[in-house]
Amino acid sequence: MEGKEEDVREGANKFPERQPIGTAAQVPDERDYAEPPPAPLFEPSELSSWSFYRAGIAEFMATFLFLYITILTVMGVLKSDTKCKSVGIQGIAWAFGGMIFALVYCTAGISGGHINPAVTFGLFLARKLSLTRAIFYMVMQCLGAICGAGVVKGFENASTFERLNGGANFVNPGYTKGDGLGAEIIGTFLLVYTVFSATDAKRSARDSHVPILAPLPIGFAVFLVHLATIPITGTGINPARSLGAAIIFNKDRGWDDHWIFWVGPFIGAALAALYHQVVIRAIPFKAR
């Protein structure tokens, strides 16, 4: 047995891993990773860069496609007299999660694939992007959401669109506004926490022997949150999605609870950013 163990040890040393597999992999080699500097609060030079505007256009188009597919799916389910004739709640959750997976995959290399003002807000708080870019992204995301919901309305006759509430978010009967706010906070926390974990450069350096496809866990997190909270709020966790549907629907029911779908996601995103930076990464303590 001792000879076999020596052979294994010799073989492992002959072809060493960049990081050892196992518990030792939890301690990264400092040579493999350097903490990136925080993004500046204001970066005026971005305004003269084509890549800045290209990223904003990518966010607009991704959010447009996101609303188009997901709101059509929601309305298709609501139109059916029984859920058995439609994709049901599981199908709605897959539509949201699947579209996020596809769109983050397509746009991550251009804009980072945020497609959500709450995600942008969380990354801004963690100093991953400048305030200039964060505001620009949020504006483009909201415009894309409005256009996507508008196209959906064009496919439905006015009476059907109104009867189905335009796919807008609101707190469902049987739940309080506090329930809705809590669901949005926790749901967005899960989403943004997953975004931080899946895109962490330090983790990529440490686990370089394990390929990580970041859009997959992000899309799956969106899917799971929708399964849990569709019965409560229809699931917002994305202020642009809620705003686009509410503007195109433009009825009192779409606006009564609308504040929940901004306050909840922004609180959840802020908590996720704080948790990741302070607890998971302990960045404030490294500066001491």
Side-chain angles (χ1 to χ4, degrees):
M1 287 297 292
E2 292 181 0
K4 290 183 179 180
E5 289 179 0
E6 187 63 32
D7 290 341
V8 171
R9 193 176 302 112
E10 181 181 353
N13 292 333
K14 191 179 297 184
F15 304 102
E17 292 284 343
R18 186 177 180 186
Q19 287 294 327
I21 298 175
T23 56
Q26 303 301 315
V27 182
D29 189 336
E30 294 298 329
R31 295 172 297 177
D32 293 335
Y33 173 77
E35 191 74 47
L41 188 60
F42 296 102
E43 197 167 5
S45 61
E46 287 184 316
L47 300 177
S48 60
S49 170
W50 165 239
S51 64
F52 175 77
Y53 297 100
R54 182 183 65 161
I57 294 170
E59 287 294 308
F60 171 90
M61 184 56 65
T63 316
F64 167 82
L65 294 173
F66 179 63
L67 266 287
Y68 168 71
I69 294 296
T70 55
I71 298 300
L72 270 182
T73 304
V74 169
M75 300 190 77
V77 171
L78 295 176
K79 269 196 288 190
S80 300
D81 52 354
T82 67
K83 295 295 186 290
C84 295
K85 295 181 180 179
S86 68
V87 295
I89 289 178
Q90 293 87 348
I92 293 174
W94 275 121
F96 278 89
M99 280 301 291
I100 288 297
F101 168 70
L103 293 170
V104 171
Y105 179 84
C106 291
T107 60
I110 301 172
S111 65
H114 298 189
I115 322 171
N116 185 337
V119 171
T120 300
F121 180 67
L123 293 173
F124 164 70
L125 292 180
R127 302 294 300 277
K128 303 295 184 182
L129 72 165
S130 67
L131 178 63
T132 311
R133 186 174 291 263
I135 292 174
F136 183 49
Y137 277 14
M138 291 182 191
V139 171
M140 297 301 282
Q141 289 158 358
C142 290
L143 290 176
I146 294 168
C147 292
V151 171
V152 172
K153 183 176 182 179
F155 287 165
E156 305 285 348
N157 62 63
S159 61
T160 301
F161 187 82
E162 185 172 340
R163 178 172 60 85
L164 302 178
N165 300 310
N169 288 121
F170 46 83
V171 178
N172 288 314
Y175 295 95
T176 66
K177 294 186 187 299
D179 296 333
L181 181 63
E184 290 296 306
I185 291 173
I186 296 172
T188 311
F189 177 91
L190 173 60
L191 168 60
V192 179
Y193 176 41
T194 304
V195 169
F196 274 110
S197 298
T199 60
D200 191 342
K202 184 176 182 180
R203 179 176 182 177
S204 298
R206 184 191 69 199
D207 297 338
S208 58
H209 56 280
V210 181
I212 299 174
L213 184 60
L216 183 59
I218 296 171
F220 201 63
V222 172
F223 165 71
L224 293 174
V225 172
H226 276 76
L227 282 182
T229 59
I230 283 176
I232 303 174
T233 61
T235 308
I237 67 171
N238 184 333
R241 174 262 187 270
S242 301
L243 179 67
I247 285 178
I248 299 302
F249 179 48
N250 199 27
K251 301 292 181 184
D252 288 343
R253 191 177 190 190
W255 292 115
D256 288 343
D257 302 327
H258 187 69
W259 64 273
I260 290 173
F261 302 99
W262 283 87
V263 175
F266 273 59
I267 292 176
L271 292 174
L274 181 68
Y275 179 72
H276 186 267
Q277 296 294 92
V278 175
V279 178
I280 302 301
R281 297 295 311 282
I283 287 177
F285 304 101
K286 293 179 180 177
R288 298 179 180 178

